[in-house]
Each structure stands twice: as C-alpha cells, then as structure tokens.
C-alpha cells in the first residue's frame, strides 16, 4: 500500500473532507509519528503495533562473500512489534479483545 492509497482511503471514508484536507491529515499523522520516534519515544498504535527506536553499538562484522572484517558503526534502528490483534487478523484467527487493545 502506498501513501497515495492511504490518502485515498482517508478521503473516501470521510465524505465531508476535501482531498487536500485528507492529504493534510495523513501527512500530519506521519509527521507526528516521525517526530516522536526522533525524540526517542515509542509509538503505540492500538490494535496495530508498537514502533521503537533502538541504539546499536559499534561492532565488527564480516563480509559473507569475501570474509573480510569491517567495522559496523553505531546507529539507531527502527523496530516494529505487531500487536496480537493484528497478528490474529493476518492469520485469520478469531480476535480476542483485551483491555490493552
């Protein structure tokens, strides 16, 4: 699914919105999520999942083709953990609601 498809979905589910308003809502949502992650906060979307930023330390890695060692610089990585509701939905299982979801 693309950003344009998401925008179209927002526009089609809310008949009172213009296309420009739907774009602004979606872009503002993504911007807020991005800003929270840059601040180091986790982003939990109920019944969808949680995004976190993790810091990885510097380490020595190896090129699997040549075997040459190389230093992998420290960096921050984005992780996502799907909620049990999303996992159940994707697998076609019965969804059991909990108080947290």
């Amino acid at each position: 699914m693309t950003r344009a498809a998401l925008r179209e979905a927002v526009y089609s589910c809310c008949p009172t919105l213009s296309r420009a308003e739907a774009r602004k809502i979606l872009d503002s949502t993504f911007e807020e999520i991005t800003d929270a992650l840059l601040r180091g906060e986790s982003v939990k979307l109920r019944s969808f999942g949680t995004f976190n930023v993790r810091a990885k330390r510097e380490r020595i890695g190896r090129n699997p083709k040549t075997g040459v060692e190389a230093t992998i610089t420290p960096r921050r990585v984005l992780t996502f953990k799907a909620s049990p509701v999303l996992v159940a939905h994707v697998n076609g299982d019965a969804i059991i609601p909990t108080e947290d979801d």
Side-chain angles (χ1 to χ4, degrees):
M1 178 169 255
T2 64
R3 191 178 266 236
L6 284 171
R7 239 184 275 130
E8 189 60 34
V10 170
Y11 173 72
S12 64
C13 79
C14 301
T16 59
L17 289 179
S18 68
R19 287 191 190 277
E21 290 170 328
R23 169 179 275 171
K24 187 174 181 180
I25 289 169
L26 190 64
D27 289 347
S28 295
T29 301
F30 285 141
E31 190 174 313
E32 189 59 37
I33 290 170
T34 302
D35 290 345
L37 291 168
L38 288 173
R39 291 190 302 266
E41 300 172 7
S42 66
V43 176
K44 181 177 181 182
L45 302 174
R46 188 173 167 190
S47 299
F48 186 72
T50 304
F51 295 92
N52 286 306
V53 176
R54 287 186 36 218
K56 297 193 105 180
R57 61 180 175 76
E58 182 177 292
R59 62 188 175 92
I60 301 296
R62 188 178 311 274
N63 182 328
K65 188 172 185 179
T66 64
V68 175
E69 289 186 350
T71 302
I72 300 172
T73 59
R75 64 199 185 283
R76 294 172 17 153
V77 295
L78 182 64
T79 62
F80 174 75
K81 179 164 178 26
S83 79
V85 173
L86 178 61
V87 172
H89 195 67
V90 167
N91 289 322
D93 298 336
I95 300 171
I96 302 168
T98 63
E99 299 223 1
D100 291 343
D101 291 332

